[in-house]
Amino acid sequence: MTTAKAFSCIVKAKPPVSPLVIPEFKYANVYLVLFAWYQLSGFTIVCVLRFLLGSVIVVCGVFALYLSAEEERILRGFEGEARARALEVIVRVGEALGASRLIEIKHAHISGVSYENIGDFGVEFIEGFRALGARFSVPTSVNPVSYDVDDLSSIPGVTFERSYVEAQEAIVRALRDMGADLIFTCTPYYAGIPEVYGLKAGDHVAWGESSAVAYANSVLGIRTNREGGPLALMAAIAGRTYYYGMHVEGERKPTISYVLEPRVVLDEVEAGVLGELVARMHVGERPPHVVALFEGDSALKEFLAALGTVSDIAMAHIHNITPENPGDEIKEVVKISYNMLEEELREKMPTDEVDIVYIGCPHSSLEELMKLAKTLEGTGTIKARIVVSTSREVYLKALKLGLVERLRRAKANIVRSSCLIVSPFANHNRGVKVATNSYKAYHYLSRKGVKAYLTRISYIKHLAKT
Ligand code: F3S
């Protein structure tokens, strides 16, 4: 189900305001749609079975979810209709999953805020909640939007119609009115969110954006399920999510370990390919345990983003990185050879010159910008466009360090608050050859009709004009 269709169904559904323990069937579509959208997004047999089981459980009303007196009060509408509706959806999904209770969250991060992805139904849905007087109950940040809000011309080959900009602005206005922190990035961890809101290992949040979810669980030890955009929005308004999956201590303990041999230190692009391999091999509900060495934080970011792209995995327990005990339930050790990884990468590398080199999916860290600037400076004039996407926060830090000037001097396009995937870039650049160090960008650009390849940042040197 596409995001736009999910929004369409949700908008048409009429969730009740009164508290319900066993749902009336006519209301079931709201959470079943959300549930189906979330569960089927990975397209795995396990997900289909989980969905079917969840549906049977809902229809039979087998599980009753415990609600505190405060939650009952919210559901009765004492804190407004919007909060009651949002909590209702969370309760329904929690019941469908078999959660025993809800849990308070400290923060929410909402994905699916790009007009390109959610269309008019998404605008209607978000504006509908704002019209009901919805306010976020916890600090809430948001993912990238469909264009660079500071520079409409920074996405190559794309010009935006006034009506398109107005639709995106309507989404942003509604989110702002509800109290969102408009960071427009998929790397809230590089934009200072954990520091600003005092988030630490063991805290519970509700984040959308698969790459950020995997980073939160695996690197920061912050607990979140992989919420769909609408569910993260509901959790932000309700201030709660269901106690299930990655929120439960025991569910975070791995049973299968993946060991890279020999223990080569992986750069970003190799890390992405390892993420893809682990995601394809992994079976079961528990997070995979991974033994590998990563060159830096950007490589970790790319590994986790690839993992979340190819599967519905929300966490990897990474040896010497994840700040919690993996437990002692590992029953199987799978060895992955570095040769296999190299072969996989070689197949996806460009054999010819490309038109664009794209860095920054998920949004670039300062470390990645430095590496790019250094490579560009030693290369001279390049026969391709260099595009890098990052958050406004990292951009400001790069500006202070003189990095932005160095990148611009080397003719790099810097995109803030958006990226080549959630913008209409692909619609305007079919057949264009793009090389990227991000497995996630490679995956989505290929699916959108762009000729995408995987490469290292150092590949830029081969594109120098002689
Ligand atoms: Fe971020 Fe866009 Fe990639 S939102 S994770 S840069 S697809």
Side-chain angles (χ1 to χ4, degrees), residues 189-226:
Y189 44 91
Y190 290 153
I193 289 295
E195 294 79 11
V196 170
Y197 298 110
L199 303 179
K200 53 186 188 319
D203 284 345
H204 297 271
V205 301
W207 282 13
E209 176 46 54
S210 60
S211 64
V213 166
Y215 192 95
N217 281 312
S218 316
V219 180
L220 306 175
I222 294 170
R223 299 177 177 206
T224 174
N225 283 320
R226 188 171 151 165

Side-chain angles (χ1 to χ4, degrees), residues 160-205:
F160 293 91
E161 301 274 330
R162 191 60 224 155
S163 58
Y164 188 99
V165 173
E166 280 169 3
Q168 181 64 71
E169 282 174 352
I171 296 171
V172 170
R173 224 176 7 255
L175 291 165
R176 188 202 55 208
D177 292 350
M178 289 190 255
D181 187 353
L182 300 175
I183 59 170
F184 302 130
T185 182
C186 46
T187 53
Y189 44 91
Y190 290 153
I193 289 295
E195 294 79 11
V196 170
Y197 298 110
L199 303 179
K200 53 186 188 319
D203 284 345
H204 297 271
V205 301

Side-chain angles (χ1 to χ4, degrees), residues 144 186 209 211 360-362 419 421-422 440:
C186 46
E209 176 46 54
S211 64
C361 169
C419 71
I421 291 93
V422 303
K440 181 169 182 172

